[in-house]
Amino acid sequence: MSGFSNKVIYQIYPKSFMDSDGDGFGDLKGVTKKLDYLAYLGVDYLWLTPFFVSPQRDNGYDVEDYYNIDPRFGTMEDVENLIAEAKKHGMGVMFDMVFNHTSTAHEWFQKALQGDKEYQDFYYFVDGTEDKIPTNWISKFGGPAWKYVPDLKKWYLHLFDETQADLNWENEKVREELKKVIHFWKDKGVEGFRFDVVNLISKPEVFEDDMIGDGRRFYTDGRHVHEFLKELVADTQMESMVTVGEMSSTTLENCIRYSNPEEKELSMCFNFHHLKIDYKGGDKWEVMDPDIRQLNDLMKHWQEGMQKANGWNAVFWCNHDQPRIVSRLGDEHKYWKESAKMLATSIHMMRGTPYVYQGEEIGMTNAGYSNIEEYKDVESLNYYEIMLDQGKTKEEALKIVGLRSRDNGRTPMQWTDGENAGFSQGTPWIGVNHNSQCINVESQLGDKDSILEYYRRLIALRKEKAVIADGSISFLEESAAEVMAYTRTLGDEELVVFANYSDREVVLNTNIPENSYLLLLDSYTDETSIINRNQEGCLVLRPYESQVWEKVVRN
Ligand code: TEU
Protein backbone atom coordinates (compact mmCIF):
# COMPACT_ATOMS: atom_id res chain seq x y z
CA MET A 1 0.00 0.00 0.00
CA SER A 2 1.21 3.47 -0.73
CA GLY A 3 0.78 6.66 1.24
CA PHE A 4 -0.40 8.23 -2.01
CA SER A 5 -2.98 5.61 -2.99
CA ASN A 6 -5.99 7.90 -2.62
CA LYS A 7 -4.31 10.96 -4.14
CA VAL A 8 -4.68 12.34 -7.65
CA ILE A 9 -2.04 14.54 -9.25
CA TYR A 10 -2.72 17.22 -11.86
CA GLN A 11 0.05 18.11 -14.28
CA ILE A 12 0.41 21.70 -15.42
CA TYR A 13 2.49 22.82 -18.39
CA PRO A 14 2.67 26.46 -17.28
CA LYS A 15 3.64 27.79 -20.69
CA SER A 16 0.26 26.68 -22.08
CA PHE A 17 -2.00 26.85 -19.03
CA MET A 18 -2.99 30.47 -18.39
CA ASP A 19 -1.37 33.72 -19.46
CA SER A 20 -1.99 36.48 -16.90
CA ASP A 21 -0.10 39.33 -18.60
CA GLY A 22 -0.95 39.04 -22.28
CA ASP A 23 2.52 38.17 -23.61
CA GLY A 24 1.27 34.92 -25.12
CA PHE A 25 3.12 32.70 -22.62
CA GLY A 26 1.35 31.06 -19.74
CA ASP A 27 2.82 32.05 -16.36
CA LEU A 28 2.81 31.33 -12.63
CA LYS A 29 0.29 34.06 -11.83
CA GLY A 30 -1.95 32.39 -14.39
CA VAL A 31 -1.72 29.12 -12.46
CA THR A 32 -2.58 30.90 -9.21
CA LYS A 33 -5.65 32.41 -10.87
CA LYS A 34 -6.93 28.94 -11.66
CA LEU A 35 -6.54 27.39 -8.21
CA ASP A 36 -10.27 27.53 -7.51
CA TYR A 37 -10.85 25.45 -10.63
CA LEU A 38 -8.19 22.91 -9.63
CA ALA A 39 -9.58 22.64 -6.11
CA TYR A 40 -13.06 22.13 -7.59
CA LEU A 41 -11.70 19.25 -9.63
CA GLY A 42 -10.55 17.73 -6.35
CA VAL A 43 -6.91 17.00 -7.08
CA ASP A 44 -4.32 16.79 -4.29
CA TYR A 45 -1.05 17.86 -5.91
CA LEU A 46 -0.06 20.08 -8.78
CA TRP A 47 3.04 19.04 -10.69
CA LEU A 48 4.41 21.97 -12.65
CA THR A 49 6.85 21.35 -15.50
CA PRO A 50 10.05 23.47 -15.30
CA PHE A 51 9.87 27.27 -15.19
CA PHE A 52 13.48 27.91 -14.15
CA VAL A 53 15.84 30.21 -16.05
CA SER A 54 16.40 28.51 -19.38
CA PRO A 55 17.16 29.25 -23.04
CA GLN A 56 13.91 27.29 -23.70
CA ARG A 57 15.48 25.17 -26.40
CA ASP A 58 13.51 22.27 -24.93
CA ASN A 59 10.80 24.35 -23.24
CA GLY A 60 12.53 24.57 -19.88
CA TYR A 61 13.96 21.04 -19.72
CA ASP A 62 17.23 22.80 -20.52
CA VAL A 63 17.86 24.43 -17.15
CA GLU A 64 20.35 27.28 -16.90
CA ASP A 65 19.77 28.08 -13.23
CA TYR A 66 17.93 25.79 -10.80
CA TYR A 67 17.41 28.57 -8.25
CA ASN A 68 15.74 31.27 -10.29
CA ILE A 69 12.51 31.72 -12.19
CA ASP A 70 12.55 32.44 -15.89
CA PRO A 71 11.10 35.98 -16.18
CA ARG A 72 8.71 34.72 -18.86
CA PHE A 73 6.99 32.72 -16.11
CA GLY A 74 7.20 35.32 -13.35
CA THR A 75 9.24 35.99 -10.22
CA MET A 76 10.29 34.27 -7.02
CA GLU A 77 7.47 36.09 -5.29
CA ASP A 78 4.99 34.62 -7.76
CA VAL A 79 6.17 31.11 -7.05
CA GLU A 80 6.10 31.63 -3.29
CA ASN A 81 2.62 33.03 -3.60
CA LEU A 82 1.50 30.09 -5.72
CA ILE A 83 2.82 27.58 -3.16
CA ALA A 84 1.07 29.41 -0.30
CA GLU A 85 -2.22 29.84 -2.15
CA ALA A 86 -2.25 26.24 -3.35
CA LYS A 87 -1.80 25.13 0.25
CA LYS A 88 -4.79 27.25 1.29
CA HIS A 89 -6.76 25.49 -1.41
CA GLY A 90 -5.71 22.13 0.02
CA MET A 91 -3.18 21.27 -2.68
CA GLY A 92 0.55 20.66 -2.58
CA VAL A 93 2.94 21.83 -5.29
CA MET A 94 5.44 19.49 -6.95
CA PHE A 95 8.42 20.77 -8.91
CA ASP A 96 10.06 19.11 -11.88
CA MET A 97 13.76 18.44 -11.33
CA VAL A 98 15.82 17.99 -14.47
CA PHE A 99 18.90 16.40 -12.95
CA ASN A 100 20.11 14.16 -15.78
CA HIS A 101 21.42 17.17 -17.68
CA THR A 102 21.73 20.95 -17.62
CA SER A 103 21.53 23.48 -20.38
CA THR A 104 24.88 24.25 -21.94
CA ALA A 105 24.11 27.83 -20.84
CA HIS A 106 24.42 26.72 -17.20
CA GLU A 107 27.32 28.31 -15.33
CA TRP A 108 28.89 24.89 -14.72
CA PHE A 109 29.01 24.08 -18.42
CA GLN A 110 30.22 27.55 -19.30
CA LYS A 111 33.12 27.17 -16.85
CA ALA A 112 33.86 23.78 -18.36
CA LEU A 113 34.00 25.35 -21.81
CA GLN A 114 36.45 27.93 -20.52
CA GLY A 115 38.79 25.08 -19.66
CA ASP A 116 38.03 24.67 -15.95
CA LYS A 117 38.89 21.03 -15.27
CA GLU A 118 36.79 20.88 -12.09
CA TYR A 119 33.68 21.75 -14.06
CA GLN A 120 34.57 19.58 -17.03
CA ASP A 121 34.28 16.79 -14.54
CA PHE A 122 30.65 17.80 -13.91
CA TYR A 123 29.83 16.45 -17.37
CA TYR A 124 31.03 13.71 -19.69
CA PHE A 125 33.87 15.26 -21.65
CA VAL A 126 35.95 12.77 -23.62
CA ASP A 127 39.25 13.58 -25.36
CA GLY A 128 39.39 12.96 -29.07
CA THR A 129 39.61 14.23 -32.57
CA GLU A 130 36.70 15.53 -34.58
CA ASP A 131 36.75 12.59 -36.97
CA LYS A 132 36.32 10.03 -34.22
CA ILE A 133 33.09 10.21 -32.23
CA PRO A 134 33.38 8.34 -28.88
CA THR A 135 30.39 6.05 -29.53
CA ASN A 136 27.66 5.58 -32.13
CA TRP A 137 24.83 6.37 -29.66
CA ILE A 138 21.79 8.22 -30.93
CA SER A 139 20.27 11.20 -29.10
CA LYS A 140 16.61 10.89 -28.07
CA PHE A 141 15.87 13.86 -30.29
CA GLY A 142 17.65 12.40 -33.35
CA GLY A 143 21.28 12.60 -34.53
CA PRO A 144 24.45 11.70 -32.60
CA ALA A 145 24.54 11.83 -28.78
CA TRP A 146 27.98 13.53 -28.74
CA LYS A 147 29.07 17.00 -29.72
CA TYR A 148 32.62 18.12 -30.44
CA VAL A 149 34.18 21.22 -28.89
CA PRO A 150 37.16 22.06 -31.13
CA ASP A 151 38.77 24.48 -28.64
CA LEU A 152 38.94 21.78 -25.99
CA LYS A 153 39.57 18.91 -28.40
CA LYS A 154 36.88 17.07 -26.49
CA TRP A 155 33.45 15.59 -27.09
CA TYR A 156 30.62 15.89 -24.58
CA LEU A 157 27.64 13.59 -24.10
CA HIS A 158 24.06 14.77 -24.64
CA LEU A 159 21.36 12.11 -24.60
CA PHE A 160 18.84 14.81 -25.57
CA ASP A 161 19.40 18.06 -27.48
CA GLU A 162 22.99 19.21 -28.00
CA THR A 163 22.25 22.08 -25.60
CA GLN A 164 21.37 19.57 -22.86
CA ALA A 165 24.68 18.19 -21.56
CA ASP A 166 24.50 15.06 -19.38
CA LEU A 167 25.68 15.53 -15.80
CA ASN A 168 28.30 13.20 -14.35
CA TRP A 169 26.62 11.69 -11.30
CA GLU A 170 29.75 9.64 -10.54
CA ASN A 171 31.21 12.94 -9.37
CA GLU A 172 30.24 13.49 -5.73
CA LYS A 173 30.35 17.27 -6.19
CA VAL A 174 27.56 17.03 -8.75
CA ARG A 175 25.42 15.00 -6.36
CA GLU A 176 26.06 17.50 -3.56
CA GLU A 177 25.05 20.42 -5.79
CA LEU A 178 21.80 18.70 -6.73
CA LYS A 179 20.96 18.01 -3.09
CA LYS A 180 21.33 21.74 -2.41
CA VAL A 181 18.72 22.42 -5.07
CA ILE A 182 16.27 20.06 -3.35
CA HIS A 183 16.89 21.66 0.05
CA PHE A 184 16.37 25.13 -1.39
CA TRP A 185 12.93 24.32 -2.82
CA LYS A 186 11.86 22.19 0.12
CA ASP A 187 12.52 25.17 2.35
CA LYS A 188 10.19 27.20 0.15
CA GLY A 189 7.35 24.78 0.88
CA VAL A 190 7.47 22.54 -2.19
CA GLU A 191 5.81 19.26 -1.19
CA GLY A 192 7.04 16.88 -3.82
CA PHE A 193 9.19 16.37 -6.89
CA ARG A 194 9.04 14.77 -10.29
CA PHE A 195 12.46 13.67 -11.50
CA ASP A 196 13.02 13.93 -15.22
CA VAL A 197 14.46 10.82 -16.95
CA VAL A 198 16.00 9.86 -13.64
CA ASN A 199 16.77 6.28 -14.65
CA LEU A 200 19.35 7.58 -17.13
CA ILE A 201 21.63 9.25 -14.58
CA SER A 202 24.13 6.43 -14.17
CA LYS A 203 26.37 5.98 -17.19
CA PRO A 204 28.70 3.03 -17.85
CA GLU A 205 32.31 2.98 -16.79
CA VAL A 206 33.53 2.62 -20.35
CA PHE A 207 31.82 4.06 -23.37
CA GLU A 208 31.42 1.58 -26.21
CA ASP A 209 29.55 1.38 -29.51
CA ASP A 210 26.15 -0.25 -29.53
CA MET A 211 26.06 -2.75 -32.37
CA ILE A 212 22.42 -3.71 -31.85
CA GLY A 213 20.72 -0.51 -30.71
CA ASP A 214 20.94 3.21 -30.11
CA GLY A 215 23.01 2.96 -26.93
CA ARG A 216 20.19 3.01 -24.41
CA ARG A 217 20.98 -0.43 -23.01
CA PHE A 218 24.27 0.97 -21.66
CA TYR A 219 22.81 3.82 -19.63
CA THR A 220 19.15 2.92 -18.90
CA ASP A 221 18.66 1.82 -15.26
CA GLY A 222 22.45 2.07 -15.07
CA ARG A 223 24.87 0.43 -12.64
CA HIS A 224 24.64 2.98 -9.77
CA VAL A 225 21.16 4.39 -10.28
CA HIS A 226 19.58 2.83 -7.17
CA GLU A 227 22.52 3.87 -5.00
CA PHE A 228 22.36 7.44 -6.30
CA LEU A 229 18.63 7.70 -5.67
CA LYS A 230 18.90 6.30 -2.14
CA GLU A 231 21.61 8.80 -1.34
CA LEU A 232 19.69 11.74 -2.81
CA VAL A 233 16.53 10.85 -0.90
CA ALA A 234 18.27 10.16 2.41
CA ASP A 235 20.44 13.26 2.37
CA THR A 236 17.54 15.57 1.55
CA GLN A 237 14.99 13.85 3.83
CA MET A 238 12.56 13.23 0.99
CA GLU A 239 11.27 9.84 2.27
CA SER A 240 7.82 11.05 3.21
CA MET A 241 7.40 13.46 0.33
CA VAL A 242 5.61 12.58 -2.88
CA THR A 243 8.29 11.78 -5.44
CA VAL A 244 7.87 10.34 -8.92
CA GLY A 245 10.57 9.26 -11.29
CA GLU A 246 10.18 9.43 -15.03
CA MET A 247 11.63 6.12 -16.22
CA SER A 248 12.61 5.84 -19.85
CA SER A 249 12.58 2.34 -21.45
CA THR A 250 12.70 0.74 -18.01
CA THR A 251 11.85 -2.70 -16.61
CA LEU A 252 9.41 -3.98 -14.01
CA GLU A 253 12.26 -5.27 -11.83
CA ASN A 254 13.86 -1.85 -11.67
CA CYS A 255 10.58 -0.02 -11.05
CA ILE A 256 9.85 -2.32 -8.13
CA ARG A 257 13.13 -1.24 -6.60
CA TYR A 258 12.55 2.43 -7.40
CA SER A 259 9.13 2.46 -5.73
CA ASN A 260 8.97 -0.23 -3.04
CA PRO A 261 8.84 1.80 0.23
CA GLU A 262 11.41 -0.47 1.85
CA GLU A 263 14.00 0.61 -0.70
CA LYS A 264 13.60 4.27 0.33
CA GLU A 265 13.97 5.54 -3.23
CA LEU A 266 10.83 7.11 -4.76
CA SER A 267 7.07 7.00 -4.10
CA MET A 268 6.22 5.91 -7.63
CA CYS A 269 7.34 5.61 -11.25
CA PHE A 270 6.16 6.54 -14.69
CA ASN A 271 6.88 4.05 -17.43
CA PHE A 272 5.90 4.41 -21.07
CA HIS A 273 5.54 0.91 -22.44
CA HIS A 274 1.75 1.23 -22.75
CA LEU A 275 2.19 4.33 -24.88
CA LYS A 276 4.17 2.55 -27.57
CA ILE A 277 1.39 0.20 -28.68
CA ASP A 278 0.98 2.17 -31.91
CA TYR A 279 4.71 2.44 -32.72
CA LYS A 280 5.42 0.21 -35.71
CA GLY A 281 8.53 -1.88 -34.99
CA GLY A 282 8.94 0.13 -31.77
CA ASP A 283 9.69 3.27 -33.79
CA LYS A 284 7.79 6.39 -32.70
CA TRP A 285 7.98 7.81 -36.22
CA GLU A 286 6.43 4.76 -37.89
CA VAL A 287 2.68 4.59 -37.47
CA MET A 288 0.32 1.65 -36.97
CA ASP A 289 -3.10 1.09 -35.42
CA PRO A 290 -2.96 0.65 -31.64
CA ASP A 291 -2.61 -2.95 -30.54
CA ILE A 292 -5.16 -3.26 -27.72
CA ARG A 293 -4.24 -6.84 -26.95
CA GLN A 294 -0.70 -5.66 -26.29
CA LEU A 295 -2.06 -2.78 -24.20
CA ASN A 296 -3.90 -5.31 -22.04
CA ASP A 297 -0.84 -7.51 -21.67
CA LEU A 298 1.29 -4.53 -20.65
CA MET A 299 -1.22 -3.21 -18.15
CA LYS A 300 -1.55 -6.65 -16.60
CA HIS A 301 2.23 -7.03 -16.44
CA TRP A 302 2.75 -3.67 -14.73
CA GLN A 303 -0.32 -3.63 -12.52
CA GLU A 304 -0.06 -7.17 -11.21
CA GLY A 305 3.73 -7.20 -11.31
CA MET A 306 4.10 -4.08 -9.18
CA GLN A 307 1.42 -5.31 -6.78
CA LYS A 308 3.18 -8.62 -6.26
CA ALA A 309 6.39 -6.98 -5.07
CA ASN A 310 4.91 -3.92 -3.38
CA GLY A 311 5.88 -1.44 -6.07
CA TRP A 312 3.70 1.55 -6.93
CA ASN A 313 2.77 2.89 -10.38
CA ALA A 314 1.98 6.40 -11.44
CA VAL A 315 -0.94 5.68 -13.80
CA PHE A 316 -1.57 8.00 -16.73
CA TRP A 317 -2.32 8.46 -20.42
CA CYS A 318 -1.24 12.01 -21.10
CA ASN A 319 1.58 14.39 -20.43
CA HIS A 320 3.40 17.20 -22.23
CA ASP A 321 5.33 14.69 -24.37
CA GLN A 322 2.36 12.68 -25.57
CA PRO A 323 -0.38 13.11 -28.16
CA ARG A 324 -3.87 13.50 -26.73
CA ILE A 325 -5.31 10.16 -25.66
CA VAL A 326 -8.82 10.69 -27.03
CA SER A 327 -7.30 11.28 -30.48
CA ARG A 328 -5.04 8.29 -30.10
CA LEU A 329 -7.09 5.51 -28.51
CA GLY A 330 -10.57 7.03 -28.55
CA ASP A 331 -12.67 8.80 -31.12
CA GLU A 332 -12.49 12.57 -31.74
CA HIS A 333 -15.90 12.67 -33.39
CA LYS A 334 -18.96 10.50 -32.90
CA TYR A 335 -17.92 8.90 -29.62
CA TRP A 336 -15.74 11.72 -28.34
CA LYS A 337 -17.43 11.99 -24.95
CA GLU A 338 -17.97 8.28 -24.40
CA SER A 339 -14.43 7.36 -25.40
CA ALA A 340 -12.83 10.09 -23.27
CA LYS A 341 -14.78 8.83 -20.26
CA MET A 342 -13.95 5.22 -21.04
CA LEU A 343 -10.23 6.02 -21.19
CA ALA A 344 -10.44 7.97 -17.93
CA THR A 345 -12.22 5.06 -16.26
CA SER A 346 -9.56 2.55 -17.34
CA ILE A 347 -6.85 4.59 -15.61
CA HIS A 348 -8.67 5.91 -12.56
CA MET A 349 -9.96 2.54 -11.41
CA MET A 350 -6.44 1.06 -11.45
CA ARG A 351 -4.01 0.42 -8.63
CA GLY A 352 -1.62 3.36 -8.56
CA THR A 353 -1.70 7.14 -8.31
CA PRO A 354 -3.56 8.68 -11.26
CA TYR A 355 -2.24 11.74 -13.10
CA VAL A 356 -4.47 14.11 -15.04
CA TYR A 357 -2.72 16.28 -17.62
CA GLN A 358 -4.18 19.74 -18.25
CA GLY A 359 -6.99 19.60 -20.79
CA GLU A 360 -7.38 15.82 -20.55
CA GLU A 361 -10.28 16.41 -18.16
CA ILE A 362 -12.22 18.21 -20.89
CA GLY A 363 -11.29 15.79 -23.67
CA MET A 364 -8.84 18.02 -25.53
CA THR A 365 -7.69 16.57 -28.86
CA ASN A 366 -4.51 16.65 -30.97
CA ALA A 367 -3.39 20.01 -32.37
CA GLY A 368 -4.54 19.34 -35.94
CA TYR A 369 -2.10 21.83 -37.52
CA SER A 370 -1.99 21.88 -41.29
CA ASN A 371 1.60 22.95 -41.88
CA ILE A 372 4.98 22.25 -40.34
CA GLU A 373 5.62 25.90 -39.43
CA GLU A 374 2.94 25.66 -36.76
CA TYR A 375 4.95 23.06 -34.83
CA LYS A 376 7.47 24.38 -32.29
CA ASP A 377 8.98 21.34 -30.63
CA VAL A 378 12.64 20.59 -31.30
CA GLU A 379 11.94 16.84 -31.51
CA SER A 380 9.16 17.27 -34.10
CA LEU A 381 11.21 19.62 -36.24
CA ASN A 382 14.29 17.38 -36.12
CA TYR A 383 12.34 14.26 -37.02
CA TYR A 384 10.43 16.02 -39.81
CA GLU A 385 13.80 16.66 -41.48
CA ILE A 386 15.00 13.13 -40.73
CA MET A 387 11.86 11.69 -42.33
CA LEU A 388 12.36 13.83 -45.44
CA ASP A 389 15.97 12.65 -45.63
CA GLN A 390 14.71 9.06 -45.39
CA GLY A 391 12.65 9.66 -48.51
CA LYS A 392 9.20 10.36 -47.09
CA THR A 393 7.18 13.05 -48.86
CA LYS A 394 6.35 16.30 -47.06
CA GLU A 395 2.72 15.17 -46.80
CA GLU A 396 3.68 11.83 -45.26
CA ALA A 397 6.09 13.44 -42.81
CA LEU A 398 3.54 16.08 -41.79
CA LYS A 399 0.92 13.42 -41.25
CA ILE A 400 3.21 11.49 -38.92
CA VAL A 401 4.20 14.65 -37.03
CA GLY A 402 0.47 15.36 -36.70
CA LEU A 403 -0.02 12.05 -34.94
CA ARG A 404 3.17 11.96 -32.90
CA SER A 405 4.25 15.50 -32.09
CA ARG A 406 4.70 16.45 -28.46
CA ASP A 407 3.05 19.75 -29.42
CA ASN A 408 -0.27 17.87 -29.51
CA GLY A 409 -0.22 18.07 -25.74
CA ARG A 410 1.12 21.62 -25.63
CA THR A 411 -1.60 23.66 -27.32
CA PRO A 412 -3.13 26.27 -24.99
CA MET A 413 -5.59 25.12 -22.36
CA GLN A 414 -9.14 25.69 -23.58
CA TRP A 415 -10.92 27.69 -20.90
CA THR A 416 -13.71 29.37 -22.86
CA ASP A 417 -15.20 29.59 -26.33
CA GLY A 418 -13.81 33.14 -26.63
CA GLU A 419 -10.69 34.51 -28.26
CA ASN A 420 -7.62 32.31 -27.83
CA ALA A 421 -9.79 29.96 -25.80
CA GLY A 422 -9.52 32.37 -22.88
CA PHE A 423 -5.84 31.42 -22.50
CA SER A 424 -4.28 34.76 -23.42
CA GLN A 425 -5.14 38.28 -24.46
CA GLY A 426 -2.02 38.38 -26.61
CA THR A 427 -0.83 36.10 -29.37
CA PRO A 428 -0.30 32.58 -27.96
CA TRP A 429 3.23 31.20 -28.40
CA ILE A 430 1.69 28.15 -30.08
CA GLY A 431 -1.59 27.90 -31.99
CA VAL A 432 -4.86 27.26 -30.19
CA ASN A 433 -6.75 24.17 -31.31
CA HIS A 434 -9.49 25.05 -33.80
CA ASN A 435 -12.08 23.19 -31.72
CA SER A 436 -11.87 25.47 -28.67
CA GLN A 437 -15.37 26.77 -29.33
CA CYS A 438 -16.80 23.31 -28.69
CA ILE A 439 -14.27 21.91 -26.24
CA ASN A 440 -13.65 24.18 -23.25
CA VAL A 441 -13.91 24.27 -19.47
CA GLU A 442 -16.67 26.87 -19.34
CA SER A 443 -19.14 24.77 -21.31
CA GLN A 444 -18.50 21.64 -19.24
CA LEU A 445 -18.49 23.06 -15.71
CA GLY A 446 -21.61 21.96 -13.88
CA ASP A 447 -22.93 19.89 -16.81
CA LYS A 448 -23.32 16.52 -15.17
CA ASP A 449 -22.84 14.62 -18.43
CA SER A 450 -19.60 16.38 -19.28
CA ILE A 451 -16.17 14.79 -19.36
CA LEU A 452 -15.04 17.33 -16.78
CA GLU A 453 -17.70 16.36 -14.25
CA TYR A 454 -16.97 12.71 -14.91
CA TYR A 455 -13.31 13.28 -13.98
CA ARG A 456 -14.44 15.05 -10.82
CA ARG A 457 -16.49 12.02 -9.92
CA LEU A 458 -13.60 9.64 -10.58
CA ILE A 459 -11.29 11.73 -8.40
CA ALA A 460 -13.86 11.87 -5.60
CA LEU A 461 -14.55 8.13 -5.78
CA ARG A 462 -10.90 7.31 -5.09
CA LYS A 463 -11.28 9.08 -1.77
CA GLU A 464 -14.67 7.57 -0.96
CA LYS A 465 -13.94 3.95 -1.75
CA ALA A 466 -10.99 2.25 -0.15
CA VAL A 467 -11.24 -0.55 -2.72
CA ILE A 468 -10.18 1.89 -5.46
CA ALA A 469 -7.26 3.26 -3.48
CA ASP A 470 -6.05 0.13 -1.75
CA GLY A 471 -7.73 -2.89 -3.29
CA SER A 472 -5.80 -5.58 -5.11
CA ILE A 473 -6.07 -5.83 -8.88
CA SER A 474 -6.53 -8.82 -11.11
CA PHE A 475 -6.99 -8.78 -14.88
CA LEU A 476 -9.76 -10.82 -16.50
CA GLU A 477 -9.51 -12.66 -19.80
CA GLU A 478 -12.18 -11.41 -22.18
CA SER A 479 -12.83 -13.05 -25.54
CA ALA A 480 -12.89 -9.73 -27.38
CA ALA A 481 -9.34 -8.43 -27.74
CA GLU A 482 -10.55 -4.83 -27.59
CA VAL A 483 -11.89 -5.11 -24.07
CA MET A 484 -9.89 -4.28 -20.97
CA ALA A 485 -11.32 -5.95 -17.89
CA TYR A 486 -10.13 -6.17 -14.32
CA THR A 487 -11.38 -6.52 -10.76
CA ARG A 488 -10.43 -4.65 -7.63
CA THR A 489 -10.89 -6.35 -4.28
CA LEU A 490 -10.53 -5.31 -0.65
CA GLY A 491 -12.05 -7.56 2.00
CA ASP A 492 -15.72 -7.95 1.02
CA GLU A 493 -15.63 -5.02 -1.36
CA GLU A 494 -15.28 -5.71 -5.06
CA LEU A 495 -15.37 -3.71 -8.29
CA VAL A 496 -15.42 -5.08 -11.81
CA VAL A 497 -14.25 -2.76 -14.58
CA PHE A 498 -14.90 -3.22 -18.31
CA ALA A 499 -13.73 -0.92 -21.07
CA ASN A 500 -14.45 -1.34 -24.75
CA TYR A 501 -11.63 0.14 -26.87
CA SER A 502 -13.45 -0.38 -30.16
CA ASP A 503 -16.12 1.38 -32.19
CA ARG A 504 -18.17 -1.83 -32.28
CA GLU A 505 -20.51 -3.53 -29.85
CA VAL A 506 -18.84 -6.35 -27.95
CA VAL A 507 -20.24 -9.22 -25.95
CA LEU A 508 -18.52 -9.95 -22.66
CA ASN A 509 -17.90 -13.40 -21.30
CA THR A 510 -17.67 -12.39 -17.65
CA ASN A 511 -20.85 -13.04 -15.81
CA ILE A 512 -22.24 -10.19 -13.71
CA PRO A 513 -25.30 -11.49 -11.85
CA GLU A 514 -27.95 -8.79 -11.82
CA ASN A 515 -28.93 -9.19 -8.21
CA SER A 516 -25.49 -9.01 -6.63
CA TYR A 517 -23.81 -6.15 -8.54
CA LEU A 518 -24.83 -2.54 -9.10
CA LEU A 519 -23.66 -0.33 -11.94
CA LEU A 520 -21.48 2.37 -10.35
CA LEU A 521 -20.23 4.15 -13.46
CA ASP A 522 -20.92 4.10 -17.18
CA SER A 523 -19.22 6.11 -19.91
CA TYR A 524 -22.61 6.57 -21.55
CA THR A 525 -24.72 9.19 -19.84
CA ASP A 526 -27.37 8.29 -17.29
CA GLU A 527 -30.31 8.79 -19.64
CA THR A 528 -28.95 6.48 -22.28
CA SER A 529 -27.26 4.03 -19.99
CA ILE A 530 -29.24 0.89 -20.33
CA ILE A 531 -27.81 -2.43 -19.43
CA ASN A 532 -27.66 -4.54 -22.54
CA ARG A 533 -27.53 -8.30 -22.32
CA ASN A 534 -27.70 -10.87 -25.09
CA GLN A 535 -29.97 -13.89 -25.08
CA GLU A 536 -27.56 -15.90 -22.95
CA GLY A 537 -27.57 -13.11 -20.41
CA CYS A 538 -24.04 -11.87 -21.22
CA LEU A 539 -23.39 -8.14 -21.01
CA VAL A 540 -23.05 -6.25 -24.28
CA LEU A 541 -20.92 -3.09 -24.35
CA ARG A 542 -21.65 -0.34 -26.85
CA PRO A 543 -18.81 1.36 -28.82
CA TYR A 544 -16.25 2.79 -26.35
CA GLU A 545 -18.48 1.98 -23.42
CA SER A 546 -16.96 1.41 -20.01
CA GLN A 547 -18.81 0.09 -17.00
CA VAL A 548 -17.81 -0.23 -13.38
CA TRP A 549 -19.82 -2.72 -11.34
CA GLU A 550 -19.83 -2.74 -7.59
CA LYS A 551 -20.61 -5.84 -5.61
CA VAL A 552 -23.47 -5.39 -3.22
CA VAL A 553 -22.20 -6.03 0.29
CA ARG A 554 -24.93 -7.46 2.48
CA ASN A 555 -24.43 -7.24 6.20
O1 TEU B 1 11.21 13.27 -21.40
C1 TEU B 1 11.99 12.16 -21.66
C2 TEU B 1 11.70 11.46 -22.87
O2 TEU B 1 12.27 10.40 -23.00
C3 TEU B 1 10.72 11.99 -23.87
O3 TEU B 1 10.83 13.32 -24.12
C4 TEU B 1 11.02 11.29 -25.10
O4 TEU B 1 12.29 11.66 -25.53
C5 TEU B 1 10.10 11.61 -26.18
O5 TEU B 1 8.80 11.35 -25.79
C6 TEU B 1 10.54 10.74 -27.32
O6 TEU B 1 9.61 10.61 -28.24
C7 TEU B 1 11.62 14.20 -20.47
C8 TEU B 1 10.68 15.38 -20.51
O7 TEU B 1 9.40 14.96 -20.14
C9 TEU B 1 10.75 16.01 -21.86
O8 TEU B 1 9.82 17.05 -22.03
C10 TEU B 1 12.15 16.49 -22.07
O9 TEU B 1 12.29 16.98 -23.38
C11 TEU B 1 13.18 15.39 -21.85
O10 TEU B 1 12.94 14.65 -20.67
C12 TEU B 1 14.56 15.98 -21.71
O11 TEU B 1 14.68 16.67 -20.52
Side-chain angles (χ1 to χ4, degrees), residues 465-491:
K465 297 196 182 288
V467 63
I468 300 177
D470 299 321
S472 62
I473 192 162
S474 171
F475 276 69
L476 301 170
E477 283 288 331
E478 279 297 331
S479 47
E482 301 89 343
V483 174
M484 183 183 290
Y486 56 84
T487 59
R488 303 294 311 278
T489 318
L490 186 71

Side-chain angles (χ1 to χ4, degrees), residues 9-14 45-52 58-63 66 92-101 141 160 164 169 178 181-182 185-186 190-201 229 232-233 238 241-248 265-272 275 314 316 318-322 355 357 406 410:
I9 300 177
Y10 188 91
Q11 184 194 348
I12 296 177
Y13 196 69
Y45 293 99
L46 307 175
W47 149 32
L48 276 73
T49 59
F51 41 76
F52 309 106
D58 185 22
N59 283 339
Y61 282 91
D62 45 334
V63 179
Y66 292 106
V93 172
M94 293 166 70
F95 277 15
D96 200 327
M97 296 287 113
V98 190
F99 282 176
N100 175 68
H101 44 264
F141 293 160
F160 292 88
Q164 293 167 301
W169 277 66
L178 299 176
V181 176
I182 297 286
W185 290 115
K186 256 185 90 177
V190 171
E191 291 186 30
F193 296 99
R194 177 252 189 198
F195 292 99
D196 192 57
V197 289
V198 77
N199 67 327
L200 309 186
I201 56 177
L229 278 175
L232 179 73
V233 168
M238 270 193 289
M241 298 179 89
V242 51
T243 52
V244 55
E246 186 201 28
M247 306 302 178
S248 166
E265 294 185 15
L266 303 171
S267 328
M268 59 189 108
C269 310
F270 289 115
N271 79 78
F272 298 90
L275 295 173
F316 73 107
C318 300
N319 67 26
H320 63 292
D321 294 333
Q322 295 292 329
Y355 284 66
Y357 176 64
R406 305 195 298 179
R410 300 177 181 184

Side-chain angles (χ1 to χ4, degrees), residues 124 135 137 146 157 159 168 170 200-208 215-224:
Y124 285 100
T135 68
W137 300 357
W146 296 92
L157 177 68
L159 296 182
N168 173 11
E170 302 296 322
L200 309 186
I201 56 177
S202 176
K203 312 300 194 274
E205 202 171 349
V206 256
F207 291 116
E208 53 185 313
R216 69 182 66 191
R217 66 197 173 100
F218 294 126
Y219 56 74
T220 303
D221 302 312
R223 60 199 170 124
H224 293 139

